[in-house]
Amino acid sequence: MTNKTYTALTAASGVESVLRLLEGRWKLVILFHLFGGQVRRYSDLEKLIPDISQKMLAQQLRQLEADGIVIRTDYKQVPPKVDYRLTPWGQALCPALDALLTWAESRNSLI
């Protein structure tokens, strides 16, 4: 890991790039269900996130996979079996999201 020095402009640009990776109503919810080394089948994620449509779940998982955050494993069997887990880079996102939750919880004590 490098200790890159940021300017206001490069930091803003970097944050914007990260937010683009995570944008979408359901991506963070999906990630929280995969943190801690969890391996989830598509049907498990459907049950854990009941308000998401099948189309949206598939789309969000494809985007997370394309961005290198999630690994999709297709077992090529009948009946079909596919599961999802975080890449090491995706798992490394957990402390940052925990810090965001802590920050959000601190709002009332700081206001």
Side-chain angles (χ1 to χ4, degrees), residues 17-35 45 49 52 56-70 86 93 97:
S17 296
V18 168
L19 291 177
R20 262 191 249 110
L21 285 175
L22 300 176
E23 73 184 348
R25 179 175 177 190
W26 301 104
K27 284 184 182 177
L28 293 175
V29 176
I30 293 167
L31 291 177
F32 275 103
H33 287 294
L34 296 174
F35 281 140
L45 290 167
I49 313 168
I52 193 170
M56 184 57 66
L57 179 58
Q59 179 184 22
Q60 300 281 274
L61 286 167
R62 275 193 305 273
Q63 289 173 1
L64 289 165
E65 182 184 13
D67 290 332
I69 298 170
V70 167
L86 293 175
L93 184 58
L97 293 180

Side-chain angles (χ1 to χ4, degrees), residues 9 12 14 16 26 29 32-33 40 44 49 51 55-57 60 70-71 80-82 86 93 96 100 102 108:
L9 184 59
E16 187 177 345
W26 301 104
V29 176
F32 275 103
H33 287 294
R40 304 280 189 184
D44 296 334
I49 313 168
D51 293 335
K55 178 183 175 184
M56 184 57 66
L57 179 58
Q60 300 281 274
V70 167
I71 296 171
K81 180 182 177 186
V82 175
L86 293 175
L93 184 58
L100 278 175
T102 301
N108 290 336

Side-chain angles (χ1 to χ4, degrees), residues 36-106:
Q38 295 290 322
V39 178
R40 304 280 189 184
R41 293 183 70 175
Y42 183 89
S43 60
D44 296 334
L45 290 167
E46 280 184 305
K47 290 173 191 164
L48 291 166
I49 313 168
D51 293 335
I52 193 170
S53 69
Q54 289 183 344
K55 178 183 175 184
M56 184 57 66
L57 179 58
Q59 179 184 22
Q60 300 281 274
L61 286 167
R62 275 193 305 273
Q63 289 173 1
L64 289 165
E65 182 184 13
D67 290 332
I69 298 170
V70 167
I71 296 171
R72 177 183 189 270
T73 305
D74 184 349
Y75 292 94
K76 306 282 188 206
Q77 66 185 41
V78 177
K81 180 182 177 186
V82 175
D83 63 35
Y84 298 87
R85 68 182 53 108
L86 293 175
T87 63
W89 187 55
Q91 187 61 43
L93 184 58
C94 186
L97 293 180
D98 282 343
L100 278 175
L101 284 172
T102 301
W103 171 76
E105 290 170 358
S106 71

